Amino acid sequence: MSRWLLAYDGYDPDWEGVREALCTLGNGYFATRGAQPEATADGVHYPGTYVAGCYDRLASRVAGHTVVNEDLVNAPNWLPLTVRIEDGPWLRLAALAAGDGALLAHRQELDLRRGVLTRLLRFADAAGRVTRMAQRRFVSMDDPHLAALETTLVPENWSGRMEVRSAIDGRVTNSGVARYRLLNGSHLVPDGEGPHGHEAVWLSCRTATSRIGIAVAARTRVDAAAERRTHDERGWIGQDMTVRAQESVPVTVEKVVALFTTRDRAIGEPAEAARTRVDRAGTFDELLERHVPAWDRLWHRSQLDVDREDVQRVLNLHTFHLLQTVSVHTVELDVGVPARGLHGEAYRGHVFWDELFVLPFLTLRFPEIARALLLYRWRRLPEARRAARREGHRGAMYPWQSGADGREETQRLHLNPRSGRWLPDHSHLQRHVGLAIAYNVWRFYEATGDAEFLAEYGAEMLLEIARFFADLAVHNKKGDRYEIRGVMGPDEYHDGYPGRDEPGLDNNVYTNVLAVWVLCRALDVLALLPADSREGLRERLGLTGEEITRMRDVSRRMRVVFHDGVLSQFEGYADLEELDWDGYRRRYGDIRRLDRILEAEGDTPNRYRASKQPDVLMLFYLLSRQELDSVLTRLGYPPGPDLIERTIAYYLPRTSHGSTLSAVVHAWLMARVDGDEAWEFFLESLRGDIEDRQRGTTAEGIHLGAMAGTLNLVQRCYAGISTQGPVLHLDPRLPTGLGHVRLGLRYRGHWGIDVTCSRDRLRVALRPGVASPIEVACDPDRVTIEPGGSWETPLADGRLPARHA
Ligand code: BGC
């Protein structure tokens, strides 16, 4: 199969949701799932269209409680297009598959390079009339407000009356995730609809409480004489076109759609903007002619090649979905990274810490997108400050789940589908999300050298986050150490101590150590800013000398807990019981969601040394060995040899990999110790969505962090790229499965750097026309490459360690 093609044959209701998510088309402004145009939400199909940053908040009653949730809104469905012959039933795949007529052939092809989804369908109706249908669609990467669907119908053995219905459906709700169906999902309030000229219709609505106006206009053209009738009901409008079809003569129907919201700039009113845009839009082919080069430009900036076709295809799929969620069109929007893309409704479109996995790829290719995503956080500093103040702290406390205005959006109750019980959800105690934001700010600055960003926005975020953690830390009983109590680490299985009423854990080592690293970076920033910006910022923040002294003090005396010669996930971890992993695997097979299994048994993961995903180990993923050593040494806990290896070996068998992020992080961790196992984890992270490894979650939206994480692995782990300062560092180590890796990068204003590594050679070339030379280091060498020049060096040890080395 080609590296640019995702293809599906046949029709399998059980996989339809996965196909829809993976065949989603989008442009960073909006995205539409790859649902069949004739389908409605019926438990098998789920058409969904999501506009970046378009959230709405609704209250629901569950389990005797009123809960309020903010959702990324399912916008009006622009896809509906269906057909019927004579007065027969409207086309429905399920009906054909069930024997009401016959489904003769069905194929879907997603062309990743061009961003075009093609569908080929051949079917017979109950009277034996055979029709061939070909559909092509795209969501324009050229004009972010446009999408187009072209349908060609060929009657193979009949002539007669054919009706085509093209509609816009504003009656959709948010009902794509079964677990949330008890919650109120009616976000759209119809606002008006009507015909527009001869060929178009429009529909406008408002979100229930955020009152965002959303409007869609659709222009449908038929290349045959057609009688046209417009119908509308509140929240739905369509046109039926009746055609005299002739045997073997194709009929082509072209639907061009424009979508606008009140959040858009440079428009008057969204419905008017949508109508005007479809009036002015060219034909399907003309729009396609502009869409494809727009994708070409993105691919040109996203080069990441490996010499294995199967791996390359999935890497391309992951790049494709990343760039459909956040693209050049995102730069002007005020949006974050929704954990499940714009591809489904899981996690309600919320923004977690997953940009940690997304930014490294973007920073070295699309720094303007990375910067825009960081600004989403900066704009929500006032809300994060308010949250900190409410808890009695200074600085900024970012929410674990963020949406429109940056308040905490984490649900307080969640459903365990295995037990049917609604349970308290304490995951908002993952205060470490703020540390991830500070970490991203610093890494962005290191990689881009963007001093203006740092001075204007980055420093403020870093300082406010550091300030919060310095304030959150309290003296221990002896008074010689600081502690952070009552939080959760990334491992969501542990949210408290068995037998303690208060949720939260003390001295989560990931939080404590990363907090120290962030405090050190905050102190660095103060030293780095020009005196006038520093003083201006300190004055604006009211940051006193005592606070800075406190930051320094906490950064030297934070508590770190160890047991059995390894870092302890949190204080008291050593007192927990060991889980009978083999027994649970035997009994349940898939124990990825061990938390749900245990809860359904009346037990809790809080009793066991069992993690959902890397927690302590995230430190080794984020910090270099030298950085970690320096933090631990600063704290008076010199790490000694092999602490990292021992700690990895300790936690890996105690992890159930209940998050798709787990395989990504382990692929990186194992690369230090066992190249073969690292490769297995890498393959597992590639399979996450394309094979729906978590069984059922991909249909609810892709796992964007894990997808981007695989790209980051190629870049950071295999090519060994690190960007601390003006020198581009490389330390290539290829896994057994790969013979070479090629990357195209932008780095500190240099937009054309080509890196090629094989097991025994590294080559770095600077494209001609690049403004200035670049410094590159690959131990022990350090060279300067001139524009148009290149450097090549043999590698003594360009492979990951083998298992039995
Ligand atoms: C993981 C989190 C992640 C979230 C969104 C959860 O399952 O535990 O670490 O941020 O999914 O991707």
Side-chain angles (χ1 to χ4, degrees), residues 339-340 347 352-354 400 430 490 492 612-613 658-659 661:
R340 307 299 285 272
Y347 294 140
F352 296 63
W353 70 329
D354 301 50
W400 172 237
Q430 293 187 67
E492 301 186 329
K612 176 183 181 187
Q613 67 198 83
S659 160
L661 297 173

Side-chain angles (χ1 to χ4, degrees), residues 424-441:
D425 188 323
H426 302 299
S427 51
H428 66 277
L429 292 175
Q430 293 187 67
R431 304 288 181 230
H432 65 84
V433 60
L435 299 171
I437 294 167
Y439 174 92
N440 292 335
V441 165

Side-chain angles (χ1 to χ4, degrees), residues 754-773:
D754 290 312
V755 174
T756 314
C757 14
S758 62
R759 299 220 175 97
D760 52 8
R761 290 204 86 66
L762 165 71
R763 182 171 188 277
V764 185
L766 208 53
R767 294 181 207 153
V770 171
S772 53

Side-chain angles (χ1 to χ4, degrees), residues 80-387:
L81 192 125
T82 186
V83 57
R84 67 172 171 177
I85 300 161
E86 302 294 350
D87 287 323
W90 293 103
L91 171 68
R92 273 183 54 234
L93 281 197
L96 294 175
D100 188 6
L103 180 62
L104 303 173
H106 190 224
R107 184 174 168 82
Q108 273 165 286
E109 286 183 1
L110 176 62
D111 178 341
L112 301 170
R113 200 180 163 86
R114 301 163 71 235
V116 176
L117 178 63
T118 302
R119 177 195 190 198
L120 303 167
L121 170 68
R122 207 168 153 257
F123 64 96
D125 69 2
R129 287 176 286 224
V130 178
T131 308
R132 216 163 54 232
M133 179 165 111
Q135 283 180 319
R136 293 190 293 163
R137 70 166 111 149
F138 61 90
V139 170
S140 177
M141 199 45 101
D142 171 58
D143 179 337
H145 297 281
L146 289 179
L149 167 69
E150 179 204 67
T151 307
T152 302
L153 294 144
V154 183
E156 288 194 4
N157 61 354
W158 59 275
S159 298
R161 188 155 55 89
M162 182 165 74
E163 263 178 284
V164 177
R165 173 170 288 176
S166 169
I168 309 169
D169 187 359
R171 294 177 308 195
V172 295
T173 59
N174 275 56
S175 53
V177 176
R179 295 185 298 292
Y180 306 161
R181 279 194 198 133
L182 286 176
L183 305 170
N184 186 355
S186 300
H187 292 288
L188 298 182
V189 181
D191 202 23
E193 62 274 323
H196 175 62
H198 177 60
E199 293 181 323
V201 291
W202 62 275
L203 179 141
S204 147
C205 51
R206 247 169 211 285
T207 54
T209 62
S210 56
R211 298 185 177 281
I212 300 172
I214 308 175
V216 179
R219 183 192 78 197
T220 310
R221 287 183 179 156
V222 187
D223 71 345
E227 235 176 75
R228 201 181 276 250
R229 265 167 307 132
T230 303
H231 311 266
D232 61 332
E233 295 163 25
R234 200 168 147 75
W236 184 97
I237 185 157
Q239 291 186 310
D240 289 350
M241 285 138 290
T242 308
V243 177
R244 288 263 134 226
Q246 298 292 322
E247 185 175 327
S248 303
V249 179
V251 174
T252 298
V253 182
E254 194 188 276
K255 184 172 185 182
V256 170
V257 171
L259 188 158
F260 282 85
T261 80
T262 42
R263 281 168 52 90
D264 294 327
R265 301 184 189 181
I267 64 161
E269 187 270 333
E272 188 206 5
R275 287 188 297 259
T276 312
R277 192 60 60 95
V278 290
D279 281 346
R280 295 181 188 159
T283 61
F284 181 94
D285 284 332
E286 284 163 354
L287 296 176
L288 185 61
E289 249 170 60
R290 297 183 62 86
H291 166 72
V292 173
W295 263 111
D296 277 346
R297 289 192 290 277
L298 294 184
W299 284 117
H300 185 68
R301 287 175 68 176
S302 311
Q303 268 172 23
L304 187 137
D305 298 327
V306 298
D307 60 337
R308 258 185 69 164
E309 202 77 354
D310 54 340
V311 171
Q312 184 70 54
R313 187 170 71 102
V314 185
L315 292 173
N316 288 347
L317 180 76
H318 291 180
T319 308
F320 180 72
H321 284 307
L322 172 59
L323 294 176
Q324 295 203 109
T325 310
V326 289
S327 80
V328 287
H329 302 300
T330 312
V331 176
E332 292 293 310
L333 304 177
D334 170 36
V335 297
V337 175
R340 307 299 285 272
L342 298 171
H343 297 59
E345 291 164 12
Y347 294 140
R348 305 191 167 85
H350 292 169
V351 178
F352 296 63
W353 70 329
D354 301 50
E355 67 229 45
L356 200 57
F357 298 86
V358 169
L359 292 183
F361 176 84
L362 293 175
T363 301
L364 285 182
R365 292 165 184 81
F366 301 92
E368 72 278 30
I369 303 179
R371 186 176 191 274
L373 296 171
L374 291 170
L375 289 183
Y376 163 83
R377 296 299 195 172
W378 179 78
R379 290 189 203 97
R380 283 150 185 81
L381 251 179
E383 189 59 44
R385 283 195 188 104
R386 244 193 311 276

